[in-house]
Amino acid sequence: MLTPWTDLIDRFEKSLYDLIRGLRNHKGNEKEYIQNSLKECRAEIRGQDMDLKATALLKLVYLEMFGHDMSWASFHVLEVMSSPKYLQKRVGYLGAVQSFGPKTDVLMLATNLLKKDLTSPVLTTMALPLVTIPHLITPSLALSLLPDLLPRLTHSQPVIRKKTIVTLYRLALVYPETLRAAWPKIKERLMDEQEDLTVTVAIVNVICELGWRRPQDFLALAPRLFDLLVDGGNNWMAIKIIKLFATLTPLEPRLVRKLLPPLTSIIQTTPAMSLLYECINGIIQGGILQGAEGTSEGEDIASLCVGKLRGMIVTEGDRNLKYVALLAFEKIVASHPHLVSLHQDVIIACVDDADISIRLRALDLVVGMVDRDNLVAVVGRLMRQLRTAPPSAGPDTLTDDLGLDSGVEAAADSDGEDPEESLKPADRGAEPPPPLPVDYRIGVIRRILDMCSRDTYANVLDFHWYLDVLVQLVRLTPARSGGGVVSLGGNGWPEPEVSLTIGLELQNVAVRVKQVRGMATRAAEGLLVGNAAERASSSTNRTGAGALGPAAWTVGEYASLLAYPDDTLTALLHPRNTSLPAETLATYLQAIPKVFAALVGRTDVDWDAERQTMTSLLIARVVHHLENLTSHPSLEVQERAVEFLELMRLAAEAVSAHSVSVGGEARRDAPMIVAQIIPSLFQGLELNPVAPGAQRKVPLPDGLDLEAPINANLQDVLQVPGLDVVEDGEHDEFQRFYYERPIDSKRTEPAVNRLKESKPPSPSYQQPGDGQVDAEVVARRRAERRERNKDDPFYIGGEGNDSGVSSPLHNILRTSNGADVDLDSIPIMKLDLDPTAADMLARPAAAQDRRGETERERFDITMDENLSGIDGLLPGRPDPQASVSDSDGAASRSAAKEKRSILQVDSSGLGGFSFEGAGADRLPAALDIRRQEEDEQEMARAIKEVERLRLEMQRAAERIQAAQGVPPEGTVVKRKKKKKPPAKLVGHDEPSAVPGAATAEPGQAVTNELVVTRRKKKAVGKSPKKMKKKVREGEHIPATDDIAGTETS
């Protein structure tokens, strides 16, 4: 019978220590144990015993940290807070901090309790509400507690003053009017040199937190803050002051010279790395380096900062210091790149650090400090890292990024008194290179491309080396599932796949640099052939698949420079190419006829049976490949496949019907569609790069209406199925345009028949055999040369094409050789002036190693084409870059609006808040002048508004007078000559009546029209003060309507 009562007593006397021990003893069954404990706490906290209630509340606070809600016990928390015992009251305040919030129902009941404890004479009791109020403050609660907090600023104990200052800052975040009442006393505490250091540190912390919102309000405190920086003796206070000065120096540039000596002294003497870094960071953020740039002091402080940062990287083993040092280096490189480049050895060494965050920071810094001299070394270091480092376990997993997975061994028991003492570092052997995540590899490749292509390849001195780098990057690109867009860039726009970016770089180099165009074309050829071989052996996702599209474009555009066009065409016609993305496959289809034309369109080879057979086989392969793509889901691929398929079928018919040369017959040319028509489709002007903004400068054609329908009767045509709306004549014209070759009226016969009989060609070393050449061959060559040079302004034509200009050289040739000069008989000697360019087409790209040459080759880079003469945008056309910047600005503003402080309190009200004060609180003179100008502008606007309203009232009065019969032009008043007043009669004080004027009683106005009109004229324009004076003197003032009528006249 005693056992249940004993268990009941033990259950109700369970303390917090017993609860923790029970949790450890119930491993695997913690959820059930916690539920039972919560039931016990609910029963205990509802009892009358205050000690038991406080213990239950303490256990609830502990369980609340595990995620179990205790808001249901808010009233019981308030009961424990009101306990007279300090230990119980402390537990109650702890529960309030842990569970109370702005929406707690019983919070309004706690106001009187907080006010009571704030005025308690016991120091420990007074400290409890000061610590608790910042966690549950609301605007209404701040308004109620502010009168009780302000007297605590003058408390005799420094700890109370310190806690009060911090609490007032928390009140100011939700109720800005707190600063208006508290700032004078806070400032008084700051200016007191005898104040306790802890209180001063608290005030400096509060000022630093408020300073970034309105730094101009604290500029008057600069002398006192400077003294505290020099003589304070507290590192944390010095850090806060340096941060505050970083916001004040842009407002007062004279502070730069004042702060240089103490900051230099701190950097040279302090052993604290935190203070050292904050000094350097404050110098950078405050613009002190830019403000002192060009002076000896500025160079000295910059060199000192860079040297200290190098020491933080080299000598200190703390990775946090290494990271912040690299962060400071990145900020200094913008203003002093030459100083940062002196320490590139330690910066590049950080690229191989085990910490992935340090690697990324060093990578960003390397990109900013690269130049012509160190580009090859930096890129080589990064390429070596990509080749040697193993891939990570997952695509986006940072494996052992901090080296903590195997850094320590936990050998302590879970119930030990001090588990930290049993942790020992693990034994490390030879560390392999850290694994590189996929995102990091992609970031390295993008930064390599950015460094090399910056400012249109301004830092690249050897494009042969750059092409080799691009080919290696394609092989080092990590494979991703899928393709296309994989991420978002810094501006919010989608970034293409990194292999696609590499391919575009290869294409860009081929277009811009003509000296290496052949090498770039052969590099693209190698990518296509290698990818086709990989597809034949495996069906998995290959690396560098995104570069195939630009590579196909390059080999098609410059097909004449291919080393192995047969292999290239085979790679383009591979059966597994149908699984490529639609964009890449469309580029493949565009390149196929170009490479085909380069293969079969040669005019220097006889059209024999062997060539006809090879051409037929090639056409059959192309037709078979295109037939499989005529039903592709992509409309772009389908359209190109159908067009080129019909073209190839026509070529197949022409090849099969064209006769070949047999035996000793004369040499025959290839069919026209193979030799001329298909190659002419892809020949013309050379493609050059165009500036990004050139399209925006193209003027719109006059009369262009994109909304107008092409066929106004399209709906009628579509509604009648099977209706043939094409007439016979139109059908014939359509047939002739598309299916018949146009006939030139000027050339109704072959060019050979129009040529004159030429003399037998003279023997030449260029003509093999016995020196006899067929006349038909000579005539054909002449015709081809004339056709080729007919548009050349520097070519002197033959008969019928005289330019009319006779040069001395032309006269000599004509007199010595006759009128008909045989150009084919002139011997031509081949001069090998540029052997490297000739050898480039004959030998493979791998044999071209120019690094050992003493003289560096110069490369001509084609710049972007732009429209000349049009500087700005056309009227009515928006600027897309401006729209992008506007959208970015709007996005940044919205992001800044959504950003909240760490305290999760909306403190936006402090941004427009200003302190009230005189004397020392006065703003600088520049700000006073600015405010005075704003006030004057506002006053001018107010005066204009008053004048506008007065004119409107005047016009309204004029309209009223016109409606009452007053003529719109007013009343004309004629000035009469003054007459001498008549002699005053004896015994009469009244003036004599003017002729024509009616007499009036004393005190009444005279009704004579002339007198009234003159009085009206005098009243007009008088100021209100003069009118009031006349009224006091008893003078008659006309009515408002009369004044308005007179003003109109």
Side-chain angles (χ1 to χ4, degrees), residues 596-659:
F596 172 80
L599 272 173
V600 303
R602 299 178 60 183
T603 59
D604 55 346
V605 181
D606 190 14
W607 181 257
D608 52 6
E610 180 183 0
R611 187 181 177 191
Q612 184 186 32
T613 304
M614 296 299 297
T615 305
S616 299
L617 291 176
L618 282 178
I619 294 176
R621 292 174 56 193
V622 174
V623 168
H624 176 71
H625 181 73
L626 295 178
E627 285 177 347
N628 298 330
L629 298 175
T630 53
S631 59
H632 195 274
S634 175
L635 294 179
E636 183 71 19
V637 174
Q638 189 179 131
E639 180 184 4
R640 296 190 185 191
V642 171
E643 291 175 353
F644 293 140
L645 178 60
E646 294 298 325
L647 183 63
M648 289 300 165
R649 286 174 177 173
L650 292 177
E653 295 176 1
V655 168
S656 60
H658 197 71
S659 59

Side-chain angles (χ1 to χ4, degrees), residues 172-177 179 213-214 906-914:
L173 293 180
V174 297
Y175 183 60
E177 291 296 328
L179 290 177
R213 293 182 176 90
R214 292 182 57 86
D906 184 11
S907 59
S908 57
L910 289 176
F913 182 80
S914 61

